[in-house]
Amino acid sequence: PQCLQTVSDSITAFFPGRYVVLLTGMLRDKDTSSMAGILSPCVDEIITVPPDSPRALFQDALAEQFRAVTGKPVCACGSIRRGVEQAMENAAAHHGVVCAAGSLYLAGAVRSCFFPVD
């Protein structure tokens, strides 16, 4: 939760007034409801994906938690690559930005969507 508070503070500081699409995937042993509450004030919509971990919380379950806590539009995508594509499309439609945050298992996979590893 402390790290996501820093993410929330940074989004607010660096992108004031911008439409923000959150791309997130989390592990099932984390306090995802609290994390959703921390991120809710600074994002406009959420895309959930499954991190590449046996401990991953399925994207549909995470989407339901974010819907319940935030009341904002949420879309569950079955892969990180599809989630990145959807988040970018949705952000572009609003001249917004995408923020990927959540499990560290998400970071490498998101990065590889932009900088493929041979």
Side-chain angles (χ1 to χ4, degrees), residues 52 80-81 84 104-114:
D52 186 19
I80 292 173
R81 179 165 299 282
V84 166
L104 286 178
Y105 290 97
L106 189 67
V110 169
R111 186 177 191 283
S112 71
C113 291
F114 298 98

Side-chain angles (χ1 to χ4, degrees), residues 39-96:
L39 292 169
S40 181
C42 69
V43 302
D44 297 290
E45 69 176 273
I46 301 99
I47 308 290
T48 60
V49 295
D52 186 19
S53 167
R55 294 175 22 229
L57 179 61
F58 290 114
Q59 66 276 7
D60 294 327
L62 183 58
E64 282 304 314
Q65 289 182 7
F66 266 85
R67 272 188 206 98
V69 172
T70 69
K72 296 184 178 186
V74 181
C75 174
C77 290
S79 72
I80 292 173
R81 179 165 299 282
R82 180 64 194 124
V84 166
E85 292 167 354
Q86 187 68 56
M88 292 183 62
E89 288 173 21
N90 294 6
H94 298 277
H95 304 288

